[in-house]
Amino acid sequence: MPIILENVSFFYSKNTPLEITALKDVNLRIEKGEFVGILGENGAGKSTLIKLFNGILRPDSGKVTIDGLSPSSKKAKSMIGMVFQQAADQLFCRTIYDEIAFGPLNFGYSRKETEERVLEALEAVYLDRTMLSRNPFSLSGGEMQRVALACALALRPDYLVLDEPITGIDPSGKKEILETLKKVKDQGTAVITVTHNLNGLFPLLEKIIHLQEGRISFQGSRKEYLESENVPLPPIAAMMRELKSSGIQVNPALFTVEEALEEILRVKSIIEKKKTEK
Amino acid sequence: MQGPVFSFVPGDSFLHTLDPRTKLAAVMLLGILTFRTESFFGIVTLFVFFFALASISGLPARVFLRAVRPMILFIIFIFFAQLFFTKGHVLTSFWILNPSLEGLQNGLRLSARFILLLLFAALMTASTDPSAITSGIERMLRPLPLRWLGVNSFELATMMNLSISFLPILFERAERTKVAQASRGMYFGKNPLRSVSALAIPLIKGVIRDAEELALAMESRGYQGTRRTSIHELRMQRRDWISLFALILFADFMLRF
């Protein structure tokens, strides 16, 4: 069963002169096991959208269901793991163990079960067991982000929702987070991530939703996204498109350095062949 | 969005253009006056005076309603406490309560005084930019020998400014922590005390961290807590001196009753 949004609209400061339309007529369906990227500029409604998934915000019109349940029900909440942007604001316990155990204990799991989940989550984010007794605020920014991710994973969610998971994190930390996400996805959890950092996450995305001023301006597979107009592209794809528009017959729907190199060399050999034929 | 109580409403009335020090002094003087005024006539005069100032200021009525509203329960409590616990001519008696005539007078007088205080304070804060208020206070404190206490008026002014600007940050941080807790299964609905206790510690810790960061940022931009100049140097104009003089005459007249 999926996350379904039907004709969802959301306004901030409704019925005041300062009313802002954050989302307008959004229709969406996210299945378990999908890797979904929600893209868009600042203020496009991305963060508002994910807050609808676990009932932090309620739509002003339209309907949100999680596996057929209301997002504010406890059952639905336990199915959704959320990681917000500022990791430091999400950590509030004295030790990392307490921090990761907070979720499972709230949902009523036993001490033993909770401990199991804490260790499993810690391992999933590549952190060491010796860290469990440390204070979350003694960690580096990247480690904090991983603890925040572990907190969500300890719920063993069906849907893992992340807001800018790799922004402001060094390359090695980034790589580990991406590996964690891939692993989680392979275990059948839907990973839904909000980002405008196309560089790191893009190769993992299977489905892309692009928001523009509160409306969905694109929804489809990564391949379709690379071929569509008026969407922000990862750097390599943008370069390939430039090459194409300058008259070189390359396939523009590529986004990794290796693929691009291969494609450019292929086209180069064709051009050289043509030259010698002449 | 509804502004918080005692917030500034921009305008260009006579009251808006007065020096903040004039207005601070006026509020202090009027505060003393309200509590020195005993007679019914005097209190009515002060209300009339307030309405005159309010109409000069051109501020909307809701500014003043909003200032009084949060205190209304307190004022009602004071009124009834005075009414029932002042000894004197008993008006009527039921059960164990004996409201007295003197109590009624005292109650009305005290509640009127509190309302007047709130109204005059609202008049000042609504017609004065908060930063002007702090620089006014700073300038008024400057002659005091605060150095003996290890502070100076500039430090006090900076502290006031920072605490005002920190409030929205505090609310935002509380909201973010609350959301993070709620999405990990914390229920806030049932018990408001629980949400306070769950939020308080992380919030205080967070604010201390924010404060440390801010202190670093200020120091790295050269803040020393010593004398600083201001873009808007305050200068008492003729209208300030005239207003103050007029107010003193008014106070003198009121105190003669």
Side-chain angles (χ1 to χ4, degrees):
Chain A
M1 286 283 274
I3 295 180
I4 298 176
L5 273 72
E6 284 171 284
N7 298 318
V8 166
S9 296
F10 184 87
F11 310 94
Y12 285 106
S13 311
K14 203 176 182 195
N15 298 328
T16 72
L18 295 165
E19 180 175 306
I20 296 166
T21 308
L23 292 172
K24 191 97 184 101
D25 297 325
V26 170
N27 285 292
L28 198 63
R29 187 187 173 94
I30 296 170
E31 304 281 348
K32 264 175 212 160
E34 276 185 320
F35 205 122
V36 183
I38 300 173
L39 311 180
E41 286 171 13
N42 287 334
K46 301 175 307 238
S47 299
T48 307
L49 181 64
I50 60 168
K51 281 182 185 153
L52 293 169
F53 294 165
N54 74 341
I56 294 171
L57 299 176
R58 283 168 204 207
D60 287 307
S61 66
K63 205 173 152 198
V64 182
T65 52
I66 315 295
D67 292 10
L69 299 165
S70 149
S72 42
S73 68
K74 204 159 184 173
K75 180 95 200 342
K77 276 192 180 183
S78 71
M79 288 195 284
I80 299 218
M82 282 270 190
V83 184
F84 296 98
Q85 215 165 344
Q86 274 105 353
D89 290 345
Q90 297 162 62
L91 307 179
F92 40 79
C93 298
R94 214 164 298 159
T95 65
I96 292 174
Y97 183 92
D98 289 345
E99 196 67 66
I100 303 175
F102 183 88
L105 288 177
N106 266 327
F107 285 110
Y109 295 105
S110 69
R111 293 257 155 210
K112 196 162 163 284
E113 164 97 28
T114 300
E115 188 174 339
E116 215 170 89
R117 283 169 176 245
V118 169
L119 295 177
E120 176 194 285
L122 198 74
E123 202 176 311
V125 297
Y126 302 100
L127 287 177
D128 202 73
R129 271 186 197 208
T130 54
M131 281 188 144
L132 282 174
S133 58
R134 279 176 63 185
N135 186 311
F137 293 103
S138 64
L139 301 178
S140 71
E143 285 168 332
M144 269 196 212
Q145 183 73 31
R146 277 189 272 166
V147 171
L149 180 56
C151 290
L153 290 177
L155 298 173
R156 290 188 191 148
D158 291 326
Y159 304 93
L160 180 65
V161 185
L162 310 116
D163 199 345
E164 297 286 3
I166 56 168
T167 304
I169 290 177
D170 62 41
S172 65
K174 221 179 256 183
K175 212 177 126 208
E176 279 173 339
I177 288 185
L178 291 179
E179 264 167 39
T180 305
L181 295 183
K182 214 187 298 178
K183 213 162 56 183
V184 168
K185 191 241 147 192
D186 290 339
Q187 286 162 0
T189 300
V191 180
I192 303 156
T193 160
V194 162
T195 189
H196 43 222
N197 188 335
L198 288 171
N199 234 346
L201 277 166
F202 199 78
L204 292 176
L205 303 181
E206 292 169 345
K207 182 175 167 183
I208 292 174
I209 294 158
H210 186 247
L211 284 174
Q212 209 165 9
E213 288 167 14
R215 289 167 193 273
I216 292 186
S217 64
F218 171 87
Q219 183 170 195
S221 70
R222 185 176 57 200
K223 190 162 173 296
E224 287 163 346
Y225 182 82
L226 285 172
E227 284 158 0
S228 67
E229 295 293 322
N230 299 325
V231 291
L233 291 171
I236 295 292
M239 181 189 81
M240 297 305 275
R241 200 174 272 193
E242 281 286 308
L243 283 178
K244 174 120 197 237
S245 68
S246 67
I248 301 166
Q249 292 304 313
V250 290
N251 170 17
L254 300 174
F255 52 89
T256 66
V257 177
E258 292 79 19
E259 280 178 328
L261 182 65
E262 207 172 291
E263 177 70 8
I264 289 170
L265 288 177
R266 184 183 66 85
V267 174
K268 189 181 162 219
S269 69
I270 293 176
I271 293 172
E272 278 169 357
K273 214 185 203 172
K274 272 187 190 161
K275 264 187 192 163
T276 50
E277 275 171 14
K278 272 178 192 170
Chain B
M1 197 179 68
Q2 209 176 2
V5 185
F6 290 128
S7 59
F8 174 53
V9 181
D12 51 6
S13 71
F14 177 70
L15 284 186
H16 281 85
T17 56
L18 281 179
D19 191 283
R21 285 168 291 176
T22 311
K23 286 184 269 190
L24 280 165
V27 168
M28 283 187 243
L29 196 60
L30 287 166
I32 295 169
L33 213 52
T34 41
F35 277 80
R36 289 295 297 271
T37 308
E38 295 287 335
S39 67
F40 175 74
F41 173 73
I43 285 173
V44 171
T45 315
L46 281 172
F47 268 106
V48 171
F49 186 64
F50 164 75
F51 282 114
L53 288 181
S55 64
I56 292 173
S57 76
L59 292 165
R62 68 186 153 81
V63 170
F64 304 110
L65 290 177
R66 218 188 284 160
V68 177
R69 202 189 300 143
M71 297 297 281
I72 208 78
L73 272 179
F74 174 69
I75 292 168
I76 291 172
F77 173 76
I78 289 183
F79 174 75
F80 281 108
Q82 292 290 330
L83 179 62
F84 294 125
F85 298 111
T86 309
K87 287 206 171 68
H89 299 82
V90 174
L91 287 173
T92 159
S93 82
F94 49 89
W95 193 38
I96 53 164
L97 298 170
N98 303 305
S100 66
L101 183 63
E102 284 79 1
L104 183 66
Q105 286 171 344
N106 272 351
L108 282 177
R109 194 185 298 141
L110 257 185
S111 358
R113 280 173 174 169
F114 272 107
I115 292 172
L116 272 172
L117 264 190
L118 291 170
L119 290 177
F120 282 126
L123 197 57
M124 180 192 72
T125 51
S127 67
T128 320
D129 192 298
S131 65
I133 297 181
T134 47
S135 61
I137 292 175
E138 184 273 310
R139 190 64 194 82
M140 285 169 102
L141 291 176
R142 221 182 278 177
L144 290 182
L146 289 169
R147 226 177 314 156
W148 295 345
L149 298 173
V151 287
N152 61 44
S153 60
F154 298 97
E155 282 177 323
L156 284 178
T158 312
M159 267 154 61
M160 283 180 59
N161 256 333
L162 288 178
S163 17
I164 292 171
S165 56
F166 245 76
L167 273 180
I169 297 175
L170 189 70
F171 288 127
E172 215 184 286
R173 180 176 278 285
E175 190 54 38
R176 282 206 294 257
T177 307
K178 204 170 165 179
V179 160
Q181 291 181 338
S183 50
R184 281 195 265 150
M186 182 88 166
Y187 264 127
F188 289 107
K190 286 178 285 186
N191 185 351
L193 273 181
R194 192 170 168 207
S195 87
V196 169
S197 67
L199 274 179
I201 307 260
L203 204 56
I204 292 169
K205 284 202 270 186
V207 168
I208 291 173
R209 273 199 313 277
D210 281 350
E212 266 172 7
E213 240 165 66
L214 183 73
L216 273 180
M218 282 169 69
E219 264 175 38
S220 60
R221 281 192 275 160
Y223 178 78
Q224 310 242 303
T226 46
R227 181 176 180 127
R228 299 163 72 208
T229 51
S230 168
I231 291 184
H232 309 287
E233 259 323 316
L234 293 176
R235 196 157 290 154
M236 292 289 271
Q237 307 287 338
R238 222 169 92 202
R239 57 171 175 268
D240 291 306
W241 293 116
I242 293 173
S243 316
L244 273 182
F245 185 66
L247 198 66
I248 290 168
L249 284 183
F250 176 71
D252 181 59
F253 164 79
M254 291 292 293
L255 291 175
R256 272 164 205 273
F257 279 94

